[in-house]
Amino acid sequence: MSETNKKKTLNVLQIICLIVAAFFILVQMFSWGKTFGRLPLSTLMRYIPGLLGRSTMVLVPMVFGAVYSKKKVHPTEAFRFWMMAVVTLVVLYLVNFFKRPGSFNMWKLWGIFFPVLTSTSVLLAGLIFSMLAQPYIYELQHRITTKQNLMLLSVLTVVGFATSAGTMIFNYSVYGVYLILYFAWGMFLANVKIPRKVFNWSIFAGIVSFFVMFIGVPGFNGVYWYQRLSGRSGVYSWAPKFLSNITSPFLFLMVLAAFLIFRKVIVSYSAKEMRFFIPIIIFMDAPIIGGFVKSFRFTGSAGFNKFLMIIIMMIVAFGLYYLYQRYLFRIKPVKRAVDFFNKHNNLAEIVVDLWDNFTKWAVENRVRLLTWGWFYVLSFASFLIESDNLRIQITTATDINAVIFLLGTRFFAIILTAIFLDAMFAIFYFITTRYWISTILVSVITIGWAIANKIKLNLRGEPIYPTEIDEIVNWKTLLPMVGQKTVIMIAVALVIVIALTVFLEVKFPIKKKGSWKRRGIWALLSLLLFMTPMRFNHDGGIIYHINRGFDNNQSFRNPERDIQINGPLLNFLNYFDLQIMNKPANYSQSTIKHLDDKYSKLADQINKTRKNTLKDQTIVYNLSESFVDPYTFPTIKIDPKVPNPVKFIQSMKNRSTYGSMLSAGYGGGTANMEWETLTGFNMGMFTSTLTPYVQIVPNYDFYPTIGMDFSYKSAVHPFIGTYYSRVEDYKRFKFNKFVYDGSKYKIIDQKKLGKSTYNSDYTTYTNGLKQINSMKGGQFINLISIQNHMPYNNWYPNNEYMGKVSGQLFNTAAVREQMATYIKGTQYTDKAVKQFIGKIDKIKKPITVVFYGDHYPSILSQNYTAKYPVQMHSTRYFIYSNKYARDHGAKSKLTHNTNYVNTSDFTAMMLEQTNSKVTPYQALLTEVHQKLPAITINFNGDKGFQLVDQKGHFVDPKKLTSEQQALLNDYEMVQYDMTAGQAYGLKAKGFYSNN
């Protein structure tokens, strides 16, 4: 064969090998364990993908070592690798953001520009480290003999394995240093003559090593799990990866065989051609790649989709490689960087020169750097001010050091606040042209705002809301609330600040930076930044996802905790964009007036058959924290030998209105169900996830509830009362009293069960009875328990349910233990409810109790709700009227539409059971309950509501009759009016209340 034909053959072979190598590297973007697990010999085959991944980690450095073995490599090559990696990551993350905006996260963005520091790819880090080490390896290998090279590399390979015994996990960039060993192997093997006999024995050793790993890895893994499951102590994690670890000689021998087979082709590649693999490696290792590639679906076949995606990513890699070679290193900033590296002979010179340039740049820009640093400190200080003695309560039972928590988990929320502070500075600087005035203004406003929020938190248990800004005009009434000492301190502080500002401007003036046009542009951009909060909560929008990417995640459930973890500035801005409900097409005051007239007539018809007046009744709405009948949990099996923990509550089925309540929460969101109960409105009508107690009720001076129909209404909650802004919201509900832990009303008979930190249900009902007996006439009581709140940490001694729970979803010891603790708690609840019902039956006045669990406990993973959507959102409820109430017109139970109801149905059902007259609004609620399926949130996580019939099946809203559609529209109109509208219904006399 002629030399020309040999070259053509080699070129073709090079291209084929390049494509095949790229394909097998990109295959690792997907998880193939399940796919290989379905093949013959599945026990053995499912380990092949992991073996391929670890082989890649060894082979790629060897290939690069062979290609870069011809001469000393300048450190510039490491910079080229880093630059190509960064640009590839930028492109990948930009496409991912537009494809999957919800996945945006600043921590990931940080990894784009610092792929080595953030361990984006250990393989990339290994190649960069190898490029930097190559000159020293080159000198060493040329200074010692072939045998010495072989001996040194072999010893290092064996020692590396012996010292780790399969436990070295290559998940951090620092482990890339180990890959220099394989890079050195590649450099050595590329330039050594290998006898035929050695070559054959190497291939044989590689084949044997493959079968040793193919059979041995599953075997070692089986031994490991046998030891773990048998409960043996001292079981170490080396066994599963002992043979196939990246340090394993068996893995190395197998890769060595492959390397030797293709050595001739490998050494024929040039350094430029090797750069093609940098985008390929990034695509393989990028943290987002798994979700990114799975988000593309071209056909119904998952396997074919994967194949297409691999081909597309390969084409993209080729395209990027072409652009990098043609354009990237010609861009001026990149070219200047390359020239800078080329001017130096070694890494030490580069580091020294880089440090000198950095310090020079830092000195020249010291004012700007110090300003940014100050704004970060200022931002951090504003967060700390909102903490409680430098502690932040991250759960209801756990608090943590504020400094550690904020710096460790809220870094980018602090950064986002600092960005807004810098924007504020830019605006002030453009207006005043004075550096110190602008800086101190920002500082005073930031700290002052944080202190003002803290004062309000201490006084009222909630931060400052945007709706309260107009209260500044009432400063004369606000000052006494703050206190005379505080006012004096503020005045003194302002005098000091003004004096300090004058001193700094006179003694240390700082010249204006940039032209007025440049400063004007920054001021304009800053103003635009302050407009972004108007889109913070527009679910699905770009600003929404960027905001969430900065860790600004407002829960709207616990205002105190929200301001502690988001800071006073972001917390305030988060309330500007409340996406509550879409405005109905014909919404107006006249429409609400029409509905008032319509349902006034219906109320008159209903009231003809009702003889009782609600204000003469004693009504107790009893929210039982996280109460669910344990027997209704999906797949659960409770040993029949143990007592039925909820025997009494189950018996209420025969003597009260009884059924399943559809909860809008799972593991949390108590106040949402409470809001539905008190108002009759429904969470399913909202267009986004929100907490009405925090985002809606504070917008009104008065908010209508069932309590309006009573001359006296109160709430009892033997726990912290500030959660969900209850203290202030109950004032807006016009409650006469709120008894909670820390209130001016004493909680009597405080009992905690076992090791639990929560007051028991016995305490709840004792205080409820005290309130019932404190009034002779009718009253309304909102009674909230706390006993069964998370966590479920084996509180109770002598728990007969421990070890007696099983089921498909209860597949770990931890879940079974939590469930046993929870079941014991429900047993205590059952006994407390039995005592409570027994006592109210002896009271000679009409009492009706609406008992309901607010949501499932957070024991089972919420992921299971997709399979059991209705079941895992269904809690137990009953409506019981005592003997005196039944003797005076109340019904024993309702029989229509009781199997599945929503919390918002309780008022209509209670009115019917007590035989009480209704208002126009309550007539609407009665119609909704009687004529529509139960309305609830969309359990699939989408916007809008779902309808559930009495068998627990979903109902398509399109299948509603025209009458039902009209009724649903009326209900939606009224809820919009009282949540996102103008509250015209409050102006319609008698619409919400007869009082």
Side-chain angles (χ1 to χ4, degrees), residues 488-522:
I488 293 173
M489 289 175 63
I490 292 172
V492 171
L494 286 175
V495 171
I496 294 173
V497 166
I498 292 171
L500 177 64
T501 305
V502 173
F503 173 77
L504 291 171
E505 286 290 354
V506 173
K507 291 291 184 179
F508 302 99
I510 294 178
K511 295 180 180 180
K512 296 187 290 292
K513 295 290 184 180
S515 65
W516 70 270
K517 288 183 179 180
R518 184 177 178 183
R519 285 183 280 112
I521 291 171
W522 275 113

Side-chain angles (χ1 to χ4, degrees), residues 669-682:
T670 297
N672 292 344
M673 279 61 76
E674 185 184 343
W675 178 81
E676 286 185 319
T677 306
L678 295 176
T679 64
F681 297 134
N682 195 289

Side-chain angles (χ1 to χ4, degrees), residues 140 499 760 763 848 856:
L140 177 62
S760 68
T763 299
T848 295
Y856 254 68

Side-chain angles (χ1 to χ4, degrees), residues 705-862:
T705 67
I706 184 63
M708 292 175 65
D709 289 307
F710 298 84
S711 57
Y712 195 89
K713 46 269 185 188
S714 63
V716 177
H717 182 35
F719 191 57
I720 302 168
T722 54
Y723 283 177
Y724 297 105
S725 296
R726 280 193 180 99
V727 173
E728 287 303 308
D729 284 353
Y730 286 170
K731 291 178 183 177
R732 295 180 176 98
F733 297 158
K734 305 303 179 186
F735 278 20
N736 300 88
K737 180 196 291 186
F738 179 23
V739 182
Y740 62 92
D741 187 6
S743 70
K744 63 181 179 180
Y745 307 103
K746 184 180 179 181
I747 297 175
I748 64 171
D749 197 26
Q750 294 194 41
K751 292 181 180 179
K752 295 177 174 62
L753 303 172
K755 299 177 183 178
S756 175
T757 58
Y758 300 120
N759 275 316
S760 68
D761 284 354
Y762 298 104
T763 299
T764 302
Y765 291 123
T766 299
N767 284 270
L769 284 166
K770 178 185 177 183
Q771 182 58 43
I772 290 173
N773 292 320
S774 68
M775 302 287 297
K776 290 185 178 179
Q779 63 173 313
F780 173 78
I781 304 170
N782 191 39
L783 186 63
I784 311 168
S785 74
I786 192 64
Q787 173 190 291
N788 293 320
H789 198 285
M790 66 171 290
Y792 308 100
N793 293 340
N794 194 13
W795 301 128
Y796 312 116
N798 304 318
N799 185 351
E800 64 267 41
Y801 301 101
M802 201 62 70
K804 304 298 182 181
V805 180
S806 60
Q808 183 181 348
L809 303 189
F810 302 85
N811 50 13
T812 67
V815 169
R816 290 191 292 271
E817 179 182 284
Q818 290 180 56
M819 193 62 197
T821 302
Y822 173 77
I823 293 174
K824 186 64 178 178
T826 63
Q827 184 187 53
Y828 284 125
T829 297
D830 191 71
K831 292 178 180 178
V833 170
K834 183 178 182 180
Q835 288 182 11
F836 181 59
I837 295 298
K839 289 179 180 179
I840 67 170
D841 265 337
K842 296 177 182 178
I843 299 175
K844 301 300 182 182
K845 59 180 178 181
I847 304 172
T848 295
V849 177
V850 179
F851 171 95
Y852 65 101
D854 55 340
H855 53 69
Y856 254 68
S858 55
I859 296 174
L860 297 179
S861 169
Q862 194 167 354

Side-chain angles (χ1 to χ4, degrees), residues 197-211:
K197 187 176 181 180
V198 173
F199 176 85
N200 292 336
W201 276 109
S202 298
I203 301 302
F204 177 74
I207 294 171
V208 171
S209 295
F210 170 76
F211 282 104

Side-chain angles (χ1 to χ4, degrees), residues 29 162 189 306 333 427 466 483 534 700 707 865 891:
M29 296 187 301
L189 293 171
K306 290 180 179 180
I427 295 169
M534 302 304 295
Y700 301 86
T865 59
K891 300 177 181 179

